[in-house]
Amino acid sequence: MITWRVERENSRSAARGASWWWPVGWLLAAGWAAAFPLVSDVGTHRVWGVCAAVGYTAAAVAARVLPRPRAVRVPVVLALAGAVVLPLLLLVLTGQAQSEVDVIERSGRLLYATGTPYLDAPRRVAEYTPYLPGMALLGMPRALLGEHGWAARYFGDARVWCAAVFLACLVASRAVVRQRRRPGGSAHGDERFAVVTAVLIASPVVALPLCVSGVDLPLAGLCVLAIAFAVRARPVAAGLVLAAACSLKWTAWPAIPVVVALLGCAWGARPALRCAGTAIAGTALFVLPSALQSPGPMVEQVLAFPTGRGELATPATSPLPGRLLAEQGATGWAVAVTLLLCGASAVGLSLVLRPPRDAVGAADRLAIGLSIAFLLAPAGRFGYLALPVLLVVWARSVGAGSVGARWSGTGSVGTRSVDTESAPQGQDADAQLATAGTGRRS
């Protein structure tokens, strides 16, 4: 009886403590959003800041006055409405967007008309396309729908397709991880994933870029989906998703060794090699046609320009360490690149010595590698750091535990590799392992 009372009191104390976290968190987000109309001279940021500040404030009030569980769900809906739905509609309908959206749509028109998304002789920064050819596919609807009419207004905007790919990948990643749910399954896990995902989308980390540009969100979604496929021992699917991500921006390329290391540690060498081969071949298939047609413009716009070595200065000038070093001249630029290479080598070595064997480990390792790249690159923006945050939060919300630890006391899978893509219909990796006797449940 005493133990039960203590546990009940502890539960009530935890609930009271948690009840304060939600309103405080939403108020902090409201303060962050309210700063944009005061300090930013970018019109899209100001519109988002006004709408989001109202939404976050309403969410904070609702979280404080409503009883649980409505104190969680209703504020999330209010935050989504104020920080995502309303500003996105306003910006899309009025045609306001960051320059990245115009770049994607122009590259889509160029790809549709000429077969390459790169101009031969760009004269202004706005004419550069610092993305790989796959990004132009997100601008293709504008080329197909034109500039006029309700369809072009609602569905021609590249932000809509960036957001659609991102959200579809998040939902698909959860479905892949929880496929063939066992009896007594994961209803609580589904609800937790839904809440965490909704909060993440409503947060300034995702809501701001989703409304004003959205250019990095498809890459983030594809990276988490590739990790999910790797967790479920589906190397070809993971490789295809990686190829799609790596055809958008070269910053996705570090995801290939991370996912390959995860597959190699958890499922064996053969699935890892199949994933690597599929990812490399798929990326080449996406990228090579434009590279062969416009080799010079592609190198200048995709590699030289974003790293601060192009003919025109990049607008990515946030005061990150790499940028501050590069501003010191050729020596500073060389130091920044050297530090960047050292950081990349350290992460690569960690993949060999202690490879990740679950979604959290892979997402964390990729987040660390990308954070090093963004911080030490000669040119960059604070907004790039949203990708590592997304990876870390997703891995902890999706419910994908250690692959190897489920099957042996030592945490290794065993001597046989498993490929669910070649399994008989209805048989997943768990059934194969149980049948093959490659391990025992711990």
Side-chain angles (χ1 to χ4, degrees), residues 257-280:
V258 172
V259 174
V260 169
L262 169 60
L263 280 165
C265 176
W267 303 108
R270 214 170 90 183
L273 291 175
R274 291 184 66 186
C275 175
T278 303
I280 294 171

Side-chain angles (χ1 to χ4, degrees), residues 25-76:
W26 292 126
L27 281 177
L28 290 175
W32 176 266
F36 280 90
L38 300 177
V39 303
S40 177
D41 57 355
V42 180
T44 54
H45 288 182
R46 294 168 65 88
V47 171
W48 177 85
V50 172
C51 296
V54 174
Y56 291 144
T57 302
V61 173
R64 187 70 188 96
V65 301
L66 291 177
R68 296 176 69 88
R70 295 177 63 192
V72 175
R73 297 171 184 169
V74 173
V76 171

Side-chain angles (χ1 to χ4, degrees), residues 200 219-225 227 255 359-360 362-368 370-371 374 385-397:
L200 180 63
L219 187 150
L222 290 169
C223 285
V224 301
L225 183 56
I227 294 174
V360 173
D364 287 353
R365 204 72 57 88
L366 181 56
I368 292 171
L370 291 175
S371 296
F374 297 150
L385 297 172
L387 177 52
V389 174
L390 278 166
L391 287 166
V392 171
V393 174
W394 168 83
R396 284 156 177 81
S397 67

Side-chain angles (χ1 to χ4, degrees), residues 205-439:
V205 173
V206 176
L208 174 60
L210 188 151
C211 292
V212 302
S213 67
V215 66
D216 290 315
L217 296 180
L219 187 150
L222 290 169
C223 285
V224 301
L225 183 56
I227 294 174
F229 277 127
V231 168
R232 295 300 299 175
R234 299 180 61 181
V236 173
L240 291 173
V241 173
L242 284 173
C246 293
S247 71
L248 299 179
K249 297 180 73 174
W250 60 266
T251 50
W253 294 356
I256 293 181
V258 172
V259 174
V260 169
L262 169 60
L263 280 165
C265 176
W267 303 108
R270 214 170 90 183
L273 291 175
R274 291 184 66 186
C275 175
T278 303
I280 294 171
T283 302
L285 185 65
F286 277 122
V287 173
L288 275 181
S290 294
L292 295 175
Q293 186 172 345
S294 306
M298 184 173 177
V299 171
E300 164 67 18
Q301 297 177 45
V302 177
L303 297 177
F305 175 68
T307 57
R309 306 301 287 180
E311 295 181 2
L312 299 179
T314 174
T317 56
S318 294
L320 296 170
R323 173 68 185 180
L324 296 177
L325 285 171
E327 289 178 347
Q328 308 307 312
T331 302
W333 188 90
V335 171
V337 172
T338 301
L339 292 174
L340 178 60
L341 293 175
C342 290
S345 300
V347 174
L349 185 61
S350 75
L351 294 175
V352 176
L353 299 179
R354 295 196 63 181
R357 60 188 184 204
D358 61 13
V360 173
D364 287 353
R365 204 72 57 88
L366 181 56
I368 292 171
L370 291 175
S371 296
I372 292 174
F374 297 150
L375 290 172
L376 296 178
R381 287 175 172 161
F382 287 116
Y384 296 163
L385 297 172
L387 177 52
V389 174
L390 278 166
L391 287 166
V392 171
V393 174
W394 168 83
R396 284 156 177 81
S397 67
V398 78
S402 174
V403 177
R406 293 184 302 165
W407 299 104
S408 73
T410 60
S412 63
V413 173
T415 57
R416 296 190 186 182
S417 62
V418 178
D419 183 6
T420 61
E421 289 163 345
S422 60
Q425 183 68 27
Q427 184 179 8
D428 62 3
D430 299 347
Q432 293 184 71
L433 282 169
T435 302
T438 57

